[in-house]
């Protein structure tokens, strides 16, 4: 059971009374002696427990989007560049190359998709399921330029993509540069130049 809190919630009360009756400490209350009634109680409690979990996750997701959608002068500051750690790597040959990262500073996880490589079906991309690694080799020399494996430290950009009816949290790879999307790197350079110009003024 997931009802283990000592706060004595209703679910705990029901479980404790059943246990007390099972070991002969106290008689079983009449309302708990009906199996059908007990089944309905358990179903209702599980449904509400699940609803509370979903509401909590939705709340976290909403406030995360609000934070990273903020403008440069806003509370959230908009897009952020942060260090992250790789949790898992998608190495299946029939899927888009991608990996999940965890950003310790904000306590969030996100999926980094290397769609720019998948789009052109790059033969220089190496998928290594045994080592849970994606690597990229130089086309001329054949030497490895960069790789991403589980527990590796990477640099990412976190931002929010807005459309008519929805907002989506996007995590783009910045480093290692050999695996990063060139358009993302170009945008980073433009943003850096703008900030330098503002500082000079």
């Amino acid at each position: 059971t997931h009802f283990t809190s000592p706060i004595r919630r209703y679910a705990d009360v029901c479980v404790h009374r059943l246990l007390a009756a099972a070991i002969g400490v106290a008689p079983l209350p009449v309302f708990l002696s009906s199996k059908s009634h007990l089944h309905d109680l358990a179903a209702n409690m599980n449904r509400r427990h699940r609803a509370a979990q979903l509401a909590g996750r939705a709340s976290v997701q909403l406030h995360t989007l609000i934070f990273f959608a903020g403008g440069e002068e806003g509370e959230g500051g908009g897009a952020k560049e942060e260090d992250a750690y790789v949790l898992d790597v998608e190495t299946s040959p029939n899927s888009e190359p991608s990996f999940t990262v965890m950003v310790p500073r904000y306590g969030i996880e996100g999926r980094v998709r290397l769609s720019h490589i998948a789009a052109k079906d790059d033969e220089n991309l190496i998928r290594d399921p045994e080592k849970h690694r994606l690597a990229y080799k130089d086309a001329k020399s054949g030497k490895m330029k960069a790789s991403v494996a589980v527990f590796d430290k990477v640099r990412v950009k976190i931002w929010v993509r807005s459309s008519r009816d929805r907002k989506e949290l996007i995590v783009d790879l910045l480093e290692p540069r050999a695996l990063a999307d060139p358009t993302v790197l170009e945008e980073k350079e433009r943003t850096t130049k703008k900030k330098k110009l503002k500082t000079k003024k």
Side-chain angles (χ1 to χ4, degrees):
T1 177
H2 48 251
F3 303 111
T4 56
S5 171
I7 305 173
R8 302 291 294 178
R9 293 172 297 181
Y10 184 64
D12 297 307
V13 172
C14 292
V15 172
H16 292 166
R17 286 179 176 174
L18 288 169
L19 287 173
I23 62 177
V25 172
L28 186 65
V30 177
F31 76 97
L32 289 178
S33 61
S34 170
K35 287 186 178 180
S36 60
H37 180 64
L38 193 58
H39 178 273
D40 292 341
L41 280 178
N44 184 47
M45 286 185 283
N46 285 330
R47 185 168 58 252
R48 291 180 179 275
H49 177 75
R50 178 65 175 163
Q53 281 187 323
L54 294 175
R57 291 171 188 170
S59 176
V60 170
Q61 184 180 23
L62 172 63
H63 286 87
T64 300
L65 289 172
I66 291 172
F67 179 82
F68 288 107
E72 290 184 4
E73 305 300 328
E75 181 68 23
K80 300 286 185 183
E81 294 180 13
E82 292 294 339
D83 291 333
Y85 293 89
V86 180
L87 298 181
D88 74 77
V89 180
E90 178 56 70
T91 57
S92 173
N94 298 321
S95 63
E96 179 184 61
S98 62
F99 52 92
T100 301
V101 296
M102 191 270 286
V103 185
R105 181 178 177 87
Y106 300 110
I108 61 172
E109 294 181 12
R111 194 76 180 170
V112 178
R113 304 184 184 281
L114 306 179
S115 52
H116 61 288
I117 295 177
K120 57 184 179 182
D121 195 20
D122 201 326
E123 295 180 355
N124 296 314
L125 179 70
I126 302 170
R127 304 171 191 254
D128 191 343
E130 291 185 3
K131 295 182 179 179
H132 304 282
R133 181 179 67 175
L134 290 173
Y136 197 77
K137 65 181 181 180
D138 184 80
K140 293 181 180 179
S141 65
K143 293 181 179 181
M144 190 182 299
K145 295 175 67 177
S147 67
V148 171
V150 172
F151 301 132
D152 279 359
K153 182 180 178 181
V154 296
R155 189 77 175 169
V156 297
K157 176 184 177 182
I158 310 164
W159 59 287
V160 175
R161 177 188 291 153
S162 299
S163 60
R164 271 188 173 182
D165 56 348
R166 65 173 297 185
K167 290 185 178 181
E168 181 183 7
L169 190 70
I170 304 296
V171 182
D172 284 330
L173 183 67
L174 295 176
E175 295 177 12
R177 293 176 65 91
L179 287 170
D181 190 335
T183 57
V184 174
L185 296 177
E186 288 170 8
E187 185 180 347
K188 179 188 175 183
E189 290 175 4
R190 286 196 296 269
T191 304
T192 304
K193 287 179 181 178
K194 286 181 181 178
K195 288 181 178 179
K196 287 181 179 178
L197 288 172
K198 284 184 179 180
T199 306
K200 289 181 180 179
K201 290 180 180 180

